[in-house]
Amino acid sequence: MTAFRRLVRPKVEAQAQQLAFIIPTLVLFMLLSGCTTEQEQPEQQEATPPLVTSSVASPETEPFTLRGSGFVQATEKINVVAEVSGRVVEVNPKLSPGKRIAAGEVLFAIDDRTYRAELARAEAAVASAKVSVDKAARERARQQQLVESGATSQRALDNASIEFAASEAQLQQAQANLTLAQKRLEDTRVMSPFDAEVIVDNVTVGAFVSVGASVAELFDVNAVELLVGLPQRDADLVLAHRQRVADNDKALFATISKEQVTFGQQARLVDVEPQIERATRTVTLRFSLSALFNQQADTALFLGDYLHADMPVMLNKPLFSAAEGVVRKNAFVYTITGQQSKTLKKVAVTPLKRRDGRVFFTGEQSLANTPLLLSGLVQESNGMAVTIQAPSKAQ
């Protein structure tokens, strides 16, 4: 028994020594791990509201206009062609692109000597045919008297009547030839059918022109228009104002400008296309530019010019303007409200136009002198806290 105890005791003592080393080591490792975890945890900090810029909504009291643009075009345009052939002996000095020619003014003339000779022959033929008719008429009358007295047969009267009818037909043919000769002589002098401006000329003195040859292209300065396409919403505002002025027996006029030149309030709204243009989704308004063209001796406008038309509109809501960037998604703005802590409030607006870095818009509620969010934030929401810089009306 004593021998067994001697053998066991050394083994137990060795295990106890090992445990005495391992346990403190584990405790120290756990303490060190706990310290490291606590050190790696960041301290909780309060989120600072983003610093933003703003723009004050300014009330607009000036008469409001919407701008549309389009190209000048002519509703009446003709291609001048020669109706008789011959050599050109005269060309109007004003028959040049951009020049004006009055209605009835000669554009160019063709050598008319041949056509005057044709007219003289036609006049002689008519005179001869008239003599033949008179002679046949007298013969028919004589045969009629002879038939009534029984001195000749009905056949002789019938032959005289046939001769008279034939002579009358010849007279009619001669008169038709005379009319044609007169027309051909007149066609040697080509005249402008209306007050025109020259687009193209293709004739010179000495040139030979053939029938049907194109010699010039003109357009009627009394039939010049500007087509302007507007979104449906903008067109409705213009048409509402048009109805208001029509109630006072007036017409709606737009102010026309080209680049840096303003021609004044000369374009009259004459028509509205009944259907929306499918490609552009716009309503087409047709303005007459005739008054503007007629007031220009040497007009500064040409077909194909790109013009701007500023159209008066009728607004039934208050109008404001602010820096262009305040409108979000073309539908709303964020006002910045609160005395101490500032928060965002989403407000629906209707933008109407942008000009010189500012946007003009209407809204259901008054936004006069209200700061609007100008900065673009990654996240924007109703009630979001912000820190605002001092608003400036210049923004």
Side-chain angles (χ1 to χ4, degrees):
M1 191 68 177
T2 302
F4 176 78
R5 287 177 177 174
R6 287 177 180 174
L7 292 174
V8 172
R9 181 175 296 172
K11 185 176 182 179
V12 171
E13 290 177 353
Q15 292 175 347
Q17 290 176 355
Q18 291 177 353
L19 290 174
F21 174 77
I22 291 171
I23 290 173
T25 302
L26 289 173
V27 172
L28 179 61
F29 177 78
M30 292 175 65
L31 290 174
L32 291 175
S33 298
C35 293
T36 303
T37 301
E38 290 178 359
Q39 290 176 357
E40 290 179 352
Q41 290 180 349
E43 294 183 2
Q44 297 292 331
Q45 297 180 354
E46 290 188 14
T48 302
L51 183 66
V52 299
T53 57
S54 64
S55 177
V56 171
S58 301
E60 295 289 334
T61 57
E62 296 288 329
F64 188 69
T65 60
L66 285 175
R67 169 165 289 190
S69 303
F71 293 94
V72 178
Q73 64 181 35
T75 59
E76 187 68 29
K77 187 189 301 185
I78 62 167
N79 190 28
V80 180
V81 298
E83 296 191 34
V84 294
S85 60
R87 197 165 300 280
V88 176
V89 295
E90 177 188 346
V91 175
N92 191 323
K94 293 185 286 186
L95 188 62
S96 177
K99 297 292 186 179
R100 292 292 185 86
I101 295 180
E105 194 172 346
V106 175
L107 301 173
F108 66 96
I110 295 172
D111 187 353
D112 64 358
R113 289 175 293 181
T114 299
Y115 301 100
R116 287 188 181 278
E118 288 183 357
L119 177 61
R121 287 194 295 269
E123 289 173 341
V126 169
S128 177
K130 286 181 177 180
V131 171
S132 298
V133 168
D134 290 341
K135 181 179 178 181
R138 289 194 299 270
E139 178 62 20
R140 185 183 65 171
R142 190 177 71 86
Q143 291 295 331
Q144 179 69 38
Q145 290 176 352
L146 292 174
V147 168
E148 292 175 353
S149 64
T152 189
S153 65
Q154 181 64 39
R155 182 180 181 86
L157 176 59
D158 292 341
N159 289 337
S161 297
I162 292 172
E163 287 295 328
F164 174 76
S167 63
E168 276 197 325
Q170 289 175 353
L171 176 58
Q172 291 177 355
Q173 180 63 48
Q175 288 173 332
N177 291 338
L178 175 60
T179 301
L180 180 60
Q182 290 171 336
K183 174 67 167 57
R184 287 166 63 83
L185 179 59
E186 291 174 359
D187 288 342
T188 61
R189 294 174 65 80
V190 181
M191 301 179 182
S192 177
F194 41 62
D195 293 334
E197 185 170 309
V198 181
I199 303 173
V200 176
D201 75 289
N202 188 31
V203 62
T204 57
V205 173
F208 185 89
V209 295
S210 302
V211 176
S214 176
V215 293
E217 188 175 1
L218 314 174
F219 72 89
D220 187 350
V221 296
N222 295 311
V224 183
E225 64 184 14
L226 178 70
L227 300 185
V228 175
L230 291 178
Q232 181 71 65
R233 180 191 63 199
D234 293 350
D236 290 343
L237 294 174
V238 175
L239 296 180
H241 183 70
R242 180 199 192 190
Q243 184 59 52
R244 181 168 64 180
V245 297
D247 291 340
N248 296 321
D249 297 324
K250 297 180 180 179
L252 185 144
F253 287 87
T255 299
I256 298 300
S257 59
K258 173 186 174 183
E259 297 174 350
Q260 302 300 319
V261 180
T262 299
F263 296 101
Q265 199 175 54
Q266 299 292 338
R268 181 172 59 89
L269 179 60
V270 295
D271 195 15
V272 180
E273 295 295 329
Q275 295 181 342
I276 294 178
E277 176 64 37
R278 298 184 65 180
T280 59
R281 297 183 180 275
T282 57
V283 177
T284 301
L285 279 63
R286 191 183 302 272
F287 289 88
S288 170
L289 295 178
S290 300
L292 179 60
F293 265 79
N294 286 331
Q295 289 182 8
Q296 302 287 331
D298 291 315
T299 179
L301 295 178
F302 296 92
L303 293 189
D305 276 349
Y306 188 69
L307 302 182
H308 304 298
D310 292 307
M311 298 158 278
V313 302
M314 183 175 71
L315 300 176
N316 52 12
K317 297 178 183 179
L319 178 69
F320 308 96
S321 70
E324 188 171 358
V326 300
V327 177
R328 264 57 171 171
K329 296 183 179 180
N330 213 38
F332 62 89
V333 296
Y334 282 111
T335 63
I336 303 177
T337 60
Q339 296 296 325
Q340 299 299 326
S341 59
K342 306 293 186 181
T343 57
L344 302 181
K345 181 181 178 182
K346 185 176 181 180
V347 178
V349 297
T350 302
L352 297 179
K353 72 175 180 181
R354 291 169 170 80
R355 186 184 66 195
D356 301 329
R358 296 185 69 79
V359 59
F360 295 79
F361 55 90
T362 60
E364 296 293 340
Q365 67 184 64
S366 176
L367 298 175
N369 303 317
T370 301
L372 307 177
L373 177 64
L374 181 59
S375 300
L377 303 177
V378 176
Q379 292 184 344
E380 299 174 348
S381 60
N382 213 24
M384 176 180 175
V386 294
T387 301
I388 184 175
Q389 292 182 357
S392 172
K393 290 188 178 182
Q395 289 182 298

CSV table of all heavy atoms in Angstrom, one decimal, residues 190-243:
chain,number,residue,atom,x,y,z
A,190,VAL,N,-41.7,89.8,-117.7
A,190,VAL,CA,-42.1,89.0,-116.6
A,190,VAL,C,-42.2,89.9,-115.3
A,190,VAL,O,-41.2,90.6,-115.0
A,190,VAL,CB,-41.1,87.8,-116.3
A,190,VAL,CG1,-41.5,87.0,-115.1
A,190,VAL,CG2,-41.0,86.9,-117.6
A,191,MET,N,-43.3,89.9,-114.7
A,191,MET,CA,-43.6,90.8,-113.6
A,191,MET,C,-43.8,90.0,-112.3
A,191,MET,O,-44.2,88.8,-112.3
A,191,MET,CB,-44.8,91.7,-113.8
A,191,MET,CG,-44.7,92.5,-115.1
A,191,MET,SD,-46.1,93.5,-115.4
A,191,MET,CE,-45.7,94.3,-117.0
A,192,SER,N,-43.5,90.7,-111.1
A,192,SER,CA,-43.7,90.1,-109.8
A,192,SER,C,-45.2,90.0,-109.5
A,192,SER,O,-45.9,91.0,-109.6
A,192,SER,CB,-43.0,90.9,-108.8
A,192,SER,OG,-43.3,90.4,-107.5
A,193,PRO,N,-45.7,88.9,-109.1
A,193,PRO,CA,-47.2,88.7,-108.8
A,193,PRO,C,-47.6,89.3,-107.5
A,193,PRO,O,-48.8,89.5,-107.2
A,193,PRO,CB,-47.4,87.2,-108.8
A,193,PRO,CG,-46.1,86.7,-108.4
A,193,PRO,CD,-45.0,87.6,-108.9
A,194,PHE,N,-46.6,89.6,-106.6
A,194,PHE,CA,-46.9,90.2,-105.3
A,194,PHE,C,-45.7,91.0,-104.8
A,194,PHE,O,-44.6,90.9,-105.4
A,194,PHE,CB,-47.4,89.1,-104.3
A,194,PHE,CG,-46.5,87.8,-104.4
A,194,PHE,CD1,-45.2,87.8,-104.1
A,194,PHE,CD2,-47.1,86.6,-104.7
A,194,PHE,CE1,-44.4,86.7,-104.2
A,194,PHE,CE2,-46.4,85.5,-104.8
A,194,PHE,CZ,-45.0,85.5,-104.5
A,195,ASP,N,-45.9,91.7,-103.7
A,195,ASP,CA,-44.7,92.3,-103.0
A,195,ASP,C,-43.8,91.2,-102.6
A,195,ASP,O,-44.1,90.4,-101.7
A,195,ASP,CB,-45.2,93.1,-101.8
A,195,ASP,CG,-46.0,94.3,-102.2
A,195,ASP,OD1,-45.8,94.8,-103.4
A,195,ASP,OD2,-46.8,94.8,-101.4
A,196,ALA,N,-42.6,91.2,-103.2
A,196,ALA,CA,-41.8,90.0,-103.0
A,196,ALA,C,-40.4,90.3,-102.6
A,196,ALA,O,-39.9,91.5,-102.7
A,196,ALA,CB,-41.7,89.2,-104.3
A,197,GLU,N,-39.7,89.3,-102.0
A,197,GLU,CA,-38.3,89.4,-101.7
A,197,GLU,C,-37.7,88.3,-102.5
A,197,GLU,O,-38.2,87.2,-102.6
A,197,GLU,CB,-38.0,89.3,-100.2
A,197,GLU,CG,-36.5,89.4,-99.9
A,197,GLU,CD,-36.3,89.6,-98.4
A,197,GLU,OE1,-37.0,90.4,-97.8
A,197,GLU,OE2,-35.4,88.8,-97.9
A,198,VAL,N,-36.5,88.6,-103.1
A,198,VAL,CA,-35.9,87.6,-104.0
A,198,VAL,C,-35.1,86.6,-103.1
A,198,VAL,O,-34.3,87.0,-102.2
A,198,VAL,CB,-34.9,88.3,-105.0
A,198,VAL,CG1,-34.2,87.3,-105.9
A,198,VAL,CG2,-35.7,89.3,-105.8
A,199,ILE,N,-35.3,85.3,-103.4
A,199,ILE,CA,-34.5,84.3,-102.8
A,199,ILE,C,-33.3,83.9,-103.7
A,199,ILE,O,-32.2,83.8,-103.2
A,199,ILE,CB,-35.4,83.0,-102.5
A,199,ILE,CG1,-36.6,83.4,-101.7
A,199,ILE,CG2,-34.6,81.9,-101.8
A,199,ILE,CD1,-37.6,82.3,-101.5
A,200,VAL,N,-33.6,83.6,-105.0
A,200,VAL,CA,-32.6,83.1,-105.9
A,200,VAL,C,-32.9,83.8,-107.3
A,200,VAL,O,-34.0,84.0,-107.6
A,200,VAL,CB,-32.7,81.6,-106.1
A,200,VAL,CG1,-31.7,81.2,-107.2
A,200,VAL,CG2,-32.4,80.9,-104.8
A,201,ASP,N,-31.8,84.2,-107.9
A,201,ASP,CA,-32.0,84.7,-109.3
A,201,ASP,C,-31.0,84.0,-110.2
A,201,ASP,O,-29.9,83.6,-109.8
A,201,ASP,CB,-31.7,86.2,-109.4
A,201,ASP,CG,-30.2,86.6,-109.3
A,201,ASP,OD1,-29.7,86.4,-108.2
A,201,ASP,OD2,-29.6,87.0,-110.3
A,202,ASN,N,-31.4,83.7,-111.4
A,202,ASN,CA,-30.6,82.9,-112.3
A,202,ASN,C,-30.8,83.4,-113.8
A,202,ASN,O,-31.0,82.6,-114.7
A,202,ASN,CB,-31.0,81.4,-112.2
A,202,ASN,CG,-30.1,80.5,-113.0
A,202,ASN,OD1,-28.9,80.8,-113.1
A,202,ASN,ND2,-30.6,79.4,-113.5
A,203,VAL,N,-30.7,84.7,-114.0
A,203,VAL,CA,-30.8,85.3,-115.3
A,203,VAL,C,-30.0,86.5,-115.5
A,203,VAL,O,-29.8,87.3,-114.5
A,203,VAL,CB,-32.3,85.7,-115.5
A,203,VAL,CG1,-32.8,86.7,-114.6
A,203,VAL,CG2,-32.6,86.1,-117.0
A,204,THR,N,-29.4,86.7,-116.7
A,204,THR,CA,-28.5,87.8,-116.9
A,204,THR,C,-28.9,88.4,-118.3
A,204,THR,O,-29.4,87.6,-119.2
A,204,THR,CB,-27.0,87.4,-116.9
A,204,THR,OG1,-26.8,86.4,-117.8
A,204,THR,CG2,-26.6,87.0,-115.5
A,205,VAL,N,-28.6,89.6,-118.6
A,205,VAL,CA,-28.8,90.2,-119.9
A,205,VAL,C,-27.9,89.5,-120.9
A,205,VAL,O,-26.8,89.2,-120.7
A,205,VAL,CB,-28.4,91.7,-119.9
A,205,VAL,CG1,-28.5,92.3,-121.3
A,205,VAL,CG2,-29.4,92.5,-118.9
A,206,GLY,N,-28.6,89.1,-122.0
A,206,GLY,CA,-27.9,88.4,-123.1
A,206,GLY,C,-28.1,86.9,-123.1
A,206,GLY,O,-27.8,86.2,-124.1
A,207,ALA,N,-28.5,86.4,-122.0
A,207,ALA,CA,-28.7,85.0,-121.9
A,207,ALA,C,-30.0,84.6,-122.6
A,207,ALA,O,-30.9,85.3,-122.7
A,207,ALA,CB,-28.8,84.6,-120.4
A,208,PHE,N,-30.0,83.4,-123.2
A,208,PHE,CA,-31.1,82.8,-123.9
A,208,PHE,C,-31.9,81.9,-122.9
A,208,PHE,O,-31.3,81.0,-122.3
A,208,PHE,CB,-30.7,82.0,-125.1
A,208,PHE,CG,-31.9,81.6,-125.9
A,208,PHE,CD1,-32.4,82.4,-126.9
A,208,PHE,CD2,-32.5,80.4,-125.7
A,208,PHE,CE1,-33.5,82.0,-127.7
A,208,PHE,CE2,-33.6,80.0,-126.4
A,208,PHE,CZ,-34.1,80.8,-127.4
A,209,VAL,N,-33.2,82.2,-122.7
A,209,VAL,CA,-34.0,81.4,-121.8
A,209,VAL,C,-35.0,80.6,-122.7
A,209,VAL,O,-35.5,81.1,-123.7
A,209,VAL,CB,-34.7,82.3,-120.8
A,209,VAL,CG1,-33.7,82.9,-119.9
A,209,VAL,CG2,-35.6,83.3,-121.4
A,210,SER,N,-35.3,79.4,-122.2
A,210,SER,CA,-36.3,78.5,-122.9
A,210,SER,C,-37.5,78.5,-122.1
A,210,SER,O,-37.6,78.8,-120.9
A,210,SER,CB,-35.7,77.1,-123.1
A,210,SER,OG,-34.5,77.2,-123.8
A,211,VAL,N,-38.6,78.1,-122.7
A,211,VAL,CA,-39.9,77.9,-122.1
A,211,VAL,C,-39.7,76.9,-120.9
A,211,VAL,O,-39.2,75.8,-121.1
A,211,VAL,CB,-41.0,77.5,-123.0
A,211,VAL,CG1,-42.3,77.2,-122.3
A,211,VAL,CG2,-41.2,78.5,-124.1
A,212,GLY,N,-40.2,77.3,-119.7
A,212,GLY,CA,-40.1,76.5,-118.5
A,212,GLY,C,-38.8,76.6,-117.8
A,212,GLY,O,-38.7,76.0,-116.7
A,213,ALA,N,-37.9,77.4,-118.3
A,213,ALA,CA,-36.6,77.6,-117.6
A,213,ALA,C,-36.8,78.4,-116.3
A,213,ALA,O,-37.5,79.4,-116.3
A,213,ALA,CB,-35.6,78.2,-118.5
A,214,SER,N,-36.2,77.9,-115.2
A,214,SER,CA,-36.3,78.7,-113.9
A,214,SER,C,-35.4,79.8,-113.9
A,214,SER,O,-34.2,79.6,-114.2
A,214,SER,CB,-36.0,77.7,-112.8
A,214,SER,OG,-36.0,78.4,-111.5
A,215,VAL,N,-35.9,81.0,-113.7
A,215,VAL,CA,-35.0,82.2,-113.7
A,215,VAL,C,-34.9,82.9,-112.3
A,215,VAL,O,-34.0,83.7,-112.1
A,215,VAL,CB,-35.5,83.2,-114.7
A,215,VAL,CG1,-35.4,82.6,-116.1
A,215,VAL,CG2,-37.0,83.6,-114.5
A,216,ALA,N,-35.8,82.6,-111.4
A,216,ALA,CA,-35.8,83.3,-110.1
A,216,ALA,C,-36.7,82.5,-109.1
A,216,ALA,O,-37.6,81.8,-109.6
A,216,ALA,CB,-36.2,84.7,-110.2
A,217,GLU,N,-36.5,82.8,-107.9
A,217,GLU,CA,-37.4,82.3,-106.8
A,217,GLU,C,-37.7,83.5,-105.9
A,217,GLU,O,-36.8,84.2,-105.4
A,217,GLU,CB,-36.8,81.1,-106.0
A,217,GLU,CG,-37.7,80.5,-105.1
A,217,GLU,CD,-37.1,79.2,-104.4
A,217,GLU,OE1,-35.9,78.9,-104.7
A,217,GLU,OE2,-37.8,78.6,-103.6
A,218,LEU,N,-39.0,83.7,-105.6
A,218,LEU,CA,-39.5,84.8,-104.8
A,218,LEU,C,-40.4,84.3,-103.7
A,218,LEU,O,-41.0,83.2,-103.8
A,218,LEU,CB,-40.3,85.8,-105.7
A,218,LEU,CG,-39.7,86.2,-107.0
A,218,LEU,CD1,-40.7,87.1,-107.7
A,218,LEU,CD2,-38.4,87.0,-106.8
A,219,PHE,N,-40.6,85.1,-102.6
A,219,PHE,CA,-41.6,84.8,-101.7
A,219,PHE,C,-42.3,86.1,-101.3
A,219,PHE,O,-41.8,87.2,-101.4
A,219,PHE,CB,-41.0,84.2,-100.4
A,219,PHE,CG,-40.2,85.1,-99.5
A,219,PHE,CD1,-40.8,85.8,-98.5
A,219,PHE,CD2,-38.8,85.2,-99.7
A,219,PHE,CE1,-40.1,86.7,-97.7
A,219,PHE,CE2,-38.1,86.1,-98.9
A,219,PHE,CZ,-38.7,86.8,-97.9
A,220,ASP,N,-43.6,85.9,-100.9
A,220,ASP,CA,-44.5,87.0,-100.6
A,220,ASP,C,-44.2,87.5,-99.2
A,220,ASP,O,-44.3,86.8,-98.2
A,220,ASP,CB,-45.9,86.5,-100.7
A,220,ASP,CG,-47.0,87.6,-100.6
A,220,ASP,OD1,-46.6,88.7,-100.2
A,220,ASP,OD2,-48.2,87.3,-100.8
A,221,VAL,N,-43.8,88.8,-99.2
A,221,VAL,CA,-43.4,89.4,-97.9
A,221,VAL,C,-44.7,89.6,-97.0
A,221,VAL,O,-44.6,89.9,-95.8
A,221,VAL,CB,-42.7,90.7,-98.0
A,221,VAL,CG1,-41.3,90.5,-98.7
A,221,VAL,CG2,-43.5,91.7,-98.8
A,222,ASN,N,-45.9,89.5,-97.6
A,222,ASN,CA,-47.1,89.6,-96.8
A,222,ASN,C,-47.6,88.3,-96.3
A,222,ASN,O,-48.7,88.2,-95.8
A,222,ASN,CB,-48.2,90.3,-97.7
A,222,ASN,CG,-47.9,91.7,-98.1
A,222,ASN,OD1,-47.5,92.5,-97.2
A,222,ASN,ND2,-47.9,92.0,-99.3
A,223,ALA,N,-46.8,87.2,-96.5
A,223,ALA,CA,-47.2,85.9,-96.1
A,223,ALA,C,-45.9,85.2,-95.5
A,223,ALA,O,-45.5,84.1,-95.9
A,223,ALA,CB,-47.7,85.1,-97.2
A,224,VAL,N,-45.4,85.8,-94.4
A,224,VAL,CA,-44.2,85.3,-93.8
A,224,VAL,C,-44.6,85.0,-92.3
A,224,VAL,O,-45.3,85.7,-91.7
A,224,VAL,CB,-43.0,86.3,-93.8
A,224,VAL,CG1,-41.8,85.7,-93.1
A,224,VAL,CG2,-42.7,86.8,-95.2
A,225,GLU,N,-44.1,83.8,-91.8
A,225,GLU,CA,-44.5,83.4,-90.5
A,225,GLU,C,-43.4,82.8,-89.7
A,225,GLU,O,-42.3,82.4,-90.3
A,225,GLU,CB,-45.7,82.4,-90.7
A,225,GLU,CG,-45.3,81.1,-91.4
A,225,GLU,CD,-46.5,80.2,-91.6
A,225,GLU,OE1,-47.6,80.6,-91.4
A,225,GLU,OE2,-46.2,79.0,-91.9
A,226,LEU,N,-43.6,82.6,-88.4
A,226,LEU,CA,-42.7,82.0,-87.5
A,226,LEU,C,-43.5,80.9,-86.8
A,226,LEU,O,-44.5,81.2,-86.2
A,226,LEU,CB,-42.2,83.0,-86.5
A,226,LEU,CG,-41.2,82.5,-85.5
A,226,LEU,CD1,-39.9,82.1,-86.1
A,226,LEU,CD2,-40.9,83.6,-84.4
A,227,LEU,N,-43.0,79.7,-86.8
A,227,LEU,CA,-43.7,78.6,-86.1
A,227,LEU,C,-42.9,78.3,-84.8
A,227,LEU,O,-41.7,78.1,-84.8
A,227,LEU,CB,-43.7,77.3,-87.0
A,227,LEU,CG,-44.4,77.4,-88.3
A,227,LEU,CD1,-44.4,76.0,-89.0
A,227,LEU,CD2,-45.8,77.9,-88.1
A,228,VAL,N,-43.6,78.4,-83.7
A,228,VAL,CA,-43.0,78.2,-82.4
A,228,VAL,C,-43.6,77.0,-81.7
A,228,VAL,O,-44.9,77.0,-81.6
A,228,VAL,CB,-43.2,79.5,-81.5
A,228,VAL,CG1,-42.6,79.3,-80.1
A,228,VAL,CG2,-42.5,80.7,-82.2
A,229,GLY,N,-42.8,76.1,-81.2
A,229,GLY,CA,-43.3,75.0,-80.5
A,229,GLY,C,-43.1,75.2,-79.0
A,229,GLY,O,-42.0,75.5,-78.5
A,230,LEU,N,-44.2,75.0,-78.2
A,230,LEU,CA,-44.2,75.1,-76.8
A,230,LEU,C,-44.7,73.9,-76.1
A,230,LEU,O,-45.6,73.2,-76.6
A,230,LEU,CB,-45.0,76.3,-76.3
A,230,LEU,CG,-44.6,77.7,-76.7
A,230,LEU,CD1,-45.6,78.7,-76.2
A,230,LEU,CD2,-43.2,78.0,-76.1
A,231,PRO,N,-44.2,73.5,-74.9
A,231,PRO,CA,-44.9,72.5,-74.1
A,231,PRO,C,-46.3,72.8,-73.9
A,231,PRO,O,-46.7,74.0,-73.8
A,231,PRO,CB,-44.0,72.4,-72.8
A,231,PRO,CG,-42.7,73.0,-73.2
A,231,PRO,CD,-43.0,74.1,-74.2
A,232,GLN,N,-47.1,71.8,-73.7
A,232,GLN,CA,-48.6,72.0,-73.5
A,232,GLN,C,-48.9,73.0,-72.4
A,232,GLN,O,-49.7,73.9,-72.5
A,232,GLN,CB,-49.3,70.7,-73.3
A,232,GLN,CG,-50.8,70.8,-73.1
A,232,GLN,CD,-51.5,71.1,-74.4
A,232,GLN,OE1,-51.5,70.3,-75.3
A,232,GLN,NE2,-52.1,72.3,-74.4
A,233,ARG,N,-48.2,72.9,-71.3
A,233,ARG,CA,-48.4,73.7,-70.1
A,233,ARG,C,-48.1,75.2,-70.5
A,233,ARG,O,-48.9,76.1,-70.2
A,233,ARG,CB,-47.5,73.3,-69.0
A,233,ARG,CG,-47.7,74.1,-67.7
A,233,ARG,CD,-46.5,73.8,-66.7
A,233,ARG,NE,-45.2,74.1,-67.3
A,233,ARG,CZ,-44.1,73.6,-66.9
A,233,ARG,NH1,-44.1,72.7,-65.9
A,233,ARG,NH2,-43.0,74.0,-67.4
A,234,ASP,N,-47.0,75.5,-71.2
A,234,ASP,CA,-46.7,76.8,-71.5
A,234,ASP,C,-47.7,77.4,-72.6
A,234,ASP,O,-48.1,78.5,-72.5
A,234,ASP,CB,-45.3,76.9,-72.1
A,234,ASP,CG,-44.2,76.6,-71.0
A,234,ASP,OD1,-44.6,76.5,-69.8
A,234,ASP,OD2,-43.0,76.4,-71.3
A,235,ALA,N,-48.0,76.5,-73.5
A,235,ALA,CA,-49.0,76.9,-74.6
A,235,ALA,C,-50.3,77.3,-73.9
A,235,ALA,O,-51.0,78.3,-74.4
A,235,ALA,CB,-49.2,75.8,-75.6
A,236,ASP,N,-50.7,76.6,-72.9
A,236,ASP,CA,-52.0,76.9,-72.2
A,236,ASP,C,-52.0,78.3,-71.6
A,236,ASP,O,-52.9,79.1,-71.6
A,236,ASP,CB,-52.3,75.9,-71.2
A,236,ASP,CG,-52.7,74.5,-71.8
A,236,ASP,OD1,-53.0,74.5,-73.0
A,236,ASP,OD2,-52.7,73.5,-71.1
A,237,LEU,N,-50.8,78.7,-71.0
A,237,LEU,CA,-50.7,80.0,-70.4
A,237,LEU,C,-50.7,81.1,-71.5
A,237,LEU,O,-51.4,82.2,-71.3
A,237,LEU,CB,-49.3,80.1,-69.7
A,237,LEU,CG,-49.2,79.2,-68.5
A,237,LEU,CD1,-47.8,79.3,-67.9
A,237,LEU,CD2,-50.2,79.5,-67.4
A,238,VAL,N,-50.1,80.9,-72.6
A,238,VAL,CA,-50.1,81.9,-73.7
A,238,VAL,C,-51.6,82.0,-74.3
A,238,VAL,O,-52.1,83.1,-74.5
A,238,VAL,CB,-49.2,81.5,-74.8
A,238,VAL,CG1,-49.3,82.4,-76.0
A,238,VAL,CG2,-47.7,81.5,-74.3
A,239,LEU,N,-52.2,80.9,-74.5
A,239,LEU,CA,-53.6,80.9,-75.0
A,239,LEU,C,-54.6,81.5,-74.1
A,239,LEU,O,-55.5,82.1,-74.5
A,239,LEU,CB,-54.0,79.5,-75.5
A,239,LEU,CG,-53.1,78.9,-76.6
A,239,LEU,CD1,-53.6,77.5,-76.9
A,239,LEU,CD2,-53.1,79.8,-77.8
A,240,ALA,N,-54.3,81.3,-72.8
A,240,ALA,CA,-55.2,82.0,-71.8
A,240,ALA,C,-55.1,83.5,-71.9
A,240,ALA,O,-56.1,84.2,-71.8
A,240,ALA,CB,-54.9,81.5,-70.4
A,241,HIS,N,-53.9,84.0,-72.1
A,241,HIS,CA,-53.7,85.4,-72.3
A,241,HIS,C,-54.3,85.9,-73.6
A,241,HIS,O,-54.9,87.0,-73.7
A,241,HIS,CB,-52.2,85.8,-72.2
A,241,HIS,CG,-51.9,87.2,-72.3
A,241,HIS,ND1,-52.3,88.1,-71.3
A,241,HIS,CD2,-51.4,88.0,-73.3
A,241,HIS,CE1,-51.9,89.3,-71.6
A,241,HIS,NE2,-51.4,89.3,-72.9
A,242,ARG,N,-54.2,85.1,-74.6
A,242,ARG,CA,-54.7,85.4,-75.9
A,242,ARG,C,-56.2,85.6,-75.8
A,242,ARG,O,-56.8,86.5,-76.4
A,242,ARG,CB,-54.4,84.3,-76.9
A,242,ARG,CG,-55.0,84.6,-78.3
A,242,ARG,CD,-55.0,83.3,-79.1
A,242,ARG,NE,-55.3,83.5,-80.5
A,242,ARG,CZ,-55.6,82.6,-81.4
A,242,ARG,NH1,-55.6,81.3,-81.0
A,242,ARG,NH2,-55.8,82.8,-82.7
A,243,GLN,N,-56.9,84.7,-75.0
A,243,GLN,CA,-58.3,84.8,-74.9
A,243,GLN,C,-58.7,86.1,-74.1
A,243,GLN,O,-59.7,86.8,-74.5
A,243,GLN,CB,-58.9,83.6,-74.1
A,243,GLN,CG,-60.4,83.6,-74.0
A,243,GLN,CD,-61.1,83.6,-75.3
A,243,GLN,OE1,-60.8,82.8,-76.1
A,243,GLN,NE2,-62.0,84.5,-75.5
